[in-house]
Amino acid sequence: MSKVISQDTFDDIVKENVVEFSMSPDEAKEETIKQFEAQGINLANIIKDLKINTDSGKPVLNEAIEHLKSYADDKFSNDEPLLQHLNTLHEECQKSIPHRVLASQNGAHSTLLSLLEARINSNGENSNTDVLEAILKCLNSLTNKQPDIFNANALALATCLLDTNVNESVICLCLQWLQKACVMHEMNRQNIMNANIVQQLKRFVSKENGKILREVLAIFRYLTLDDDIRIEFGSAHEHACQIANEVVKDLTALLKEFEDTNVLADSLLTIGCLAVRQEICMNVDEVGGIKLVFQVMVSSAFTGPANNLNVVRLNREALKLLRALAGNDTVKNRIVQEGGATLLKELLQTHISNEHVVSAALACISTLTLRVKENSKIFFETGIAEIIVETIRTHPKNKIVQRNGAWAVRNMVSRSREQCDIWLSFGIEDLLNVALNEHPSVHQDIKAALRDLGCNVELKEEWTGTAEKKILNS
């Protein structure tokens, strides 16, 4: 078993080499590493790239935290040194997760919360917004991929800050802090929801400030994550329903208020994340959601005839939303009846070279035509079959495009066998057979399309059971 040392021990030897032997920080670290490796010590747990103060020989990360602790205790009036130490801490925590873990172990999080609380409770005496922003930046970098440090005190300060502060930068940084606390941490998400955060954020769901709105939308999405492997059953679905009941109609109505395609794309993505139940899909439709989505895909509110069909991210998120809404059969039919088939054909033609957009479009077509012969007929009459075949031909190496294309073909012909000859005349059989050999992991999807097209398909029996005792027919 190899021997190990602590980070403090390593740092002390580096300090000794700098102070006692007048080495440069790089020389001191190199010499320290050689000394310990010669003794057979495993340094895998040591952060070797800590920035060293050339005068004191100590890591600047540790020194910054010590200075911040003294500032929190003594409450000095000069903000300049405080800003310098906060910036140092922020820069060091940005480097890696080990840097952030070391900072937390040295008490950085509790110190930052003390400084933040003092600023909030100062009643305007310490009104320097730069310091408040610097504290929040440090908390953001410290919490990034380290959500376990976010505690009840941090949540209380964040909610208090959202209630009392009106500065845009401060609000955005506070919202980003909450976002980082949500990632890969189910209990944080539940605690944030239990703090009635949705009601608190509803006032930001408006056309007044697109920058803040985007951060709020990100929190809504992060609260619906289910990425914490430590929790067997999360509450993502319940959170999505609670948030949707509060804001989904307002979010849908806001689609006509913005021209910024980034705000629109975030709004579409968020509505899609919240549309997890049939009644939520109906709520979106009741406020004119389908027409608004189509309008956004074609043009924005203020640019008039400007064409948004060329905006990749906007249309990708719109397609995902349409597919989510199509989980409700009534809404699915309305999407097709109100011109969705023609719009999807135009999208495929416009973005045929973009694998991300066409894969989303093909998946949307497959959902809209699933088990609905009338929808399949409407799509087919637009001439979209030839475009789908050309899309599959354009991306032979992309497994997702080939799979989604097979879904679209299968769902369109499964209840409309009269379409098969037209599909076959476009060369779809050869393309699917090539995809079958190229992408064996999706062979079942491709074979289903070939089967419903009436083509010859070799079906392989995956498993054959044998009876332990002979079964006699009576």
Side-chain angles (χ1 to χ4, degrees), residues 198 201-202 205 220 242-252 270 274:
V198 180
L201 297 180
K202 274 186 72 174
V205 181
F220 289 159
Q242 292 174 35
I243 297 170
N245 290 334
E246 294 288 343
V247 302
V248 76
K249 289 186 176 181
D250 295 334
L251 282 179
T252 305
T270 305
L274 300 179

Side-chain angles (χ1 to χ4, degrees), residues 329-392:
D329 288 341
T330 303
V331 179
K332 176 198 295 188
N333 294 334
R334 285 176 58 82
I335 292 172
V336 178
Q337 291 163 6
E338 294 191 9
T342 304
L343 185 56
L344 282 168
K345 176 191 174 184
E346 191 174 353
L347 263 180
L348 275 179
Q349 289 176 315
T350 303
H351 296 281
I352 194 167
S353 62
N354 188 302
E355 58 189 23
H356 301 293
V357 176
V358 297
S359 63
L362 291 170
C364 188
I365 292 168
S366 70
T367 302
L368 292 171
T369 56
L370 179 63
R371 296 191 297 272
V372 185
K373 182 176 181 178
E374 293 75 14
N375 289 356
S376 174
K377 181 181 178 182
I378 293 172
F379 270 96
F380 190 73
E381 289 174 350
T382 66
I384 201 172
E386 186 174 5
I387 307 300
I388 292 175
V389 173
E390 189 59 34
T391 302
I392 294 173

Side-chain angles (χ1 to χ4, degrees), residues 262-280:
N262 289 318
V263 177
L264 291 171
D266 283 350
S267 300
L268 294 169
L269 175 60
T270 305
I271 297 170
C273 289
L274 300 179
V276 296
R277 293 180 64 89
Q278 294 213 14
E279 57 267 28
I280 298 173

Side-chain angles (χ1 to χ4, degrees), residues 15 80 214-215 244 390 429:
K15 176 186 175 182
E80 287 302 319
R214 291 188 68 187
E215 302 297 344
E390 189 59 34
E429 182 178 5

Side-chain angles (χ1 to χ4, degrees), residues 417-435:
R417 297 304 173 91
E418 67 278 3
Q419 299 178 10
C420 291
D421 290 340
I422 304 296
W423 282 96
L424 293 172
S425 70
F426 295 141
I428 187 63
E429 182 178 5
D430 292 339
L431 291 174
L432 291 176
N433 280 320
V434 170

